[in-house]
Amino acid sequence: MSEEPVIQPPKQRFAPDPWCLRETAPDPATHFLHETLFALGNGYIGVRGTAEEGWSGPAGTSRDGTYLNGFYESEPIHYPETAYALAKTNQFMLNVPNAKGLAIWLDEERFDPLQGTLDAYERSLDLRRGVLERSLRWTSPSGKSIAVHSRRVVCFDNKHLLALEITVTPLNFSGTLRIVATLDGAVRNLEAGDDPRVGSAVSGASLELLSAEQEDGFSALVQRTRNSGFTLVSATLVDAPGTVRCSRAALRLEDACEVPAVQGQPVRATKYVSYHTSRDYPESELLPRSRALLDAARRDGFDALAARQADYLADFWRQADVEIDGDDLLQQGIRFNQYHLLQSAGRDGKTNISAKGVTGEGYEGHYFWDTEIYIFPFFLYNKPEIARALLEYRWAGLEAARRRARQMSHPKGALYPWRTIAGEECSAYFPAGTAQYHINADIAYSIRQYLDATGDDDWMRAHGAEIVMETARIWLGIGSIDRHGRFVINEVTGPDEYTALVNNNYYTNAMAQAHLEFAAALAARLATEFPADFSRIASAMALEAGEPEAWRSAAAKMHLPYDEALGIHEQDDSFLSKKRWDFDSTPAENYPLLLHYHPMVIYRHQVCKQADVVLALLLLSSRFGLDDKRRDFDYYEAVTTHDSSLSSCIFSIVAAEVGYADKAYDYFMETARMDLDDTHGNTCHGVHTAAMAGTWLGVAQGFGGMRTDGGTLRFAPTLPARWRGYRFRIHLRGCLLEVGVAAAGTRYRLVQGDALHFSHHGKAITLTAAQPEHMEAA
């Protein structure tokens, strides 16, 4: 394999509109993918982008789905050969009742864009307003023509609510028009095939019906999961002309309105939808809450909901917008990614961000380390209240992490799960799951970032310090002092999932060292500044007096593998002794390797799925010299396949830092339009949230040179040759800073706040309310 990054040619599908995604024809060849790209969500509800009338295309070209973040079913994991403390139960996000259905009948003909003649068509996702809109003209096989305009919104200001509006105008006839709104509970999850990234092992229906209600345009299904024991109420309220008639067939509820169709006169129907579960409210409140919410939504009307959606997004873009001057395709990709991140993030303290957001069933809706290392910084610096909510989720899982530590034979401490929804370990393949102990350090790292960026001592005292110290204990439980006096950590897996169960993975050891140092410093600070809180936490943990000093000692003695001859940090003790993968003889169709080779074949070779040592160079940037970074980058780039969507953004950032401008840009572009151009070929099963966040990291930390490790803010901006300029904003310590980079230099502007201190290429800068701007020439 060439040492140059393998970047697939872009498959441009959309005109480069910086604020909008437009589809100009429904196409079976792209429909499955576009269902993901045109999905709407609000961090709780996720609705794939299937049209209201459904899809009649060929089999395998659609996966309709509606998902609720954190609402899951559970089932036993069946191992042909089991072992002690293997994960026992899987949790998987459910495909819940489909409430989007709005079928249109012209006399006895049903509207179907794939039948008859489609005379005009456009579907658009407006990233500024958060509305999915469609306009078309269609002629039926018998010659009746109609214009259809639909709007859809999943409300950011109420996590339980979405709304759909459809307007039908007869163009060349008068007759009878019937609109049928459906609530379909006969849905199932996608079953996994040979690709372990797709679907779940469940078969059959996971929701059993308790009751159904229909009255005056209100329909509701009350269902319960068979194993996890949660109750779900899916409800709709139809606002349409004429009389709404109810009917039911098994798990499908219908509300139909029939009106005279007069040529040239539009008929409008609006459907309000809610989902409530017993994860949020007592079961007895679910139906009353559903009725009340839908009644209030109908009183407000669709236009009011859409206006509130636009207001919410205006505030979001004021804080988070990244502007690129000189590349409209890239601008579209960045804003699309940021919008989907906002749609994906749980913000109630009980939910997190799954690897595919709420757009598909890939990875079963599980939460990974993707949140802390890739996605968390985006929210921390753009919408800090969501960042705090994501940490609240980890706090809520601390007791489960303690239980998992005991299962793994640690008498004290907490071990967070590699993949989970409710807090229990769900990874059935421990070499690339439970063995990734670095999850503890990743969570501690995000807490440190949060404290540095916000100064939120209240949260630190109430929650953060206990998480950091409890998880730090695990390193002394898994590590030991070897005969050379080094603290070593054996039999773990680092970020690179093509190298499993090794001794002294560099990333793990380096992050563990930082974690132990942070835990000891927090303990000392609490004891000095907040003694009552320290006493309370120490009592809750049964913290022994000598533990913080033991953490310091282990950190000081941490073994960090380094090869003097090559001048590089070794990925682990054995990595450099392995035979290199034969890239030249591996056909392109055999990537990703995990789908074509047994894990043991991959493990015994020198080959990386993703950034490992290179990721440590970024996260712990101040601990490495520039020459070390360049040598490490050169070596590991040559053996990395980037089969993981988490890889290219990290390589881009480090390439920018070490002066490889072209490589930085190529890797960045692979990240920025990964889903829009479907470069990994699996976006149909859901977006890649970590890569989406990696796009923002690529601008701020890559080209902007932003670093915050060590508690200080610094920038080292560069301008890609293909851009005229770029601009982004960050929240820090109650301030909002705008960074603008152009050929003339870099302009820093304090948008809000009293004062902010940082450095530009090593030069100290202070912005104040009195002097809010500073210009550094190129």
Side-chain angles (χ1 to χ4, degrees), residues 565-585:
L566 294 174
I568 65 168
H569 299 92
E570 299 179 67
Q571 185 165 302
D572 59 69
D573 285 351
S574 62
F575 188 81
L576 296 183
S577 65
K578 295 176 180 178
K579 177 183 178 181
R580 278 202 180 195
W581 187 269
D582 186 357
F583 297 105
D584 290 336
S585 299

Side-chain angles (χ1 to χ4, degrees), residues 235-278:
T236 64
L237 182 61
V238 177
D239 187 4
T243 302
V244 178
R245 294 181 174 85
C246 305
S247 62
R248 175 183 172 189
L251 291 172
R252 181 183 175 92
L253 308 184
E254 292 189 354
D255 292 292
C257 66
E258 190 172 290
V259 297
V262 179
Q263 182 174 342
Q265 294 187 11
V267 176
R268 178 174 292 115
T270 307
K271 186 179 189 182
Y272 303 97
V273 181
S274 70
Y275 294 95
H276 290 82
T277 84
S278 57

Side-chain angles (χ1 to χ4, degrees), residues 26 65 84 125-126 150 157 177 189 209 219 251 263 272 314 352-353 368 391 409 447 478 556 622 638 658 675 721-722:
Y84 179 78
L125 173 58
D126 188 321
S150 64
D157 66 341
L177 179 66
N189 274 58
L209 182 67
S219 294
L251 291 172
Q263 182 174 342
Y272 303 97
N352 203 270
I353 303 174
F368 294 79
L391 293 181
S409 301
I447 291 173
I478 191 176
S622 61
V658 301
D675 287 315
R722 304 178 204 185

Side-chain angles (χ1 to χ4, degrees), residues 188-269:
R188 296 190 177 190
N189 274 58
L190 182 67
E191 294 183 37
D194 293 332
D195 189 339
R197 303 166 297 177
V198 177
S200 68
V202 68
S203 60
S206 297
L207 290 165
E208 56 183 358
L209 182 67
L210 300 182
S211 65
E213 295 200 14
Q214 284 186 288
E215 180 184 9
D216 298 330
F218 175 82
S219 294
L221 290 171
V222 183
Q223 297 170 289
R224 182 174 293 147
T225 56
R226 297 180 183 276
N227 298 319
S228 57
F230 299 124
T231 302
L232 164 68
V233 172
S234 312
T236 64
L237 182 61
V238 177
D239 187 4
T243 302
V244 178
R245 294 181 174 85
C246 305
S247 62
R248 175 183 172 189
L251 291 172
R252 181 183 175 92
L253 308 184
E254 292 189 354
D255 292 292
C257 66
E258 190 172 290
V259 297
V262 179
Q263 182 174 342
Q265 294 187 11
V267 176
R268 178 174 292 115

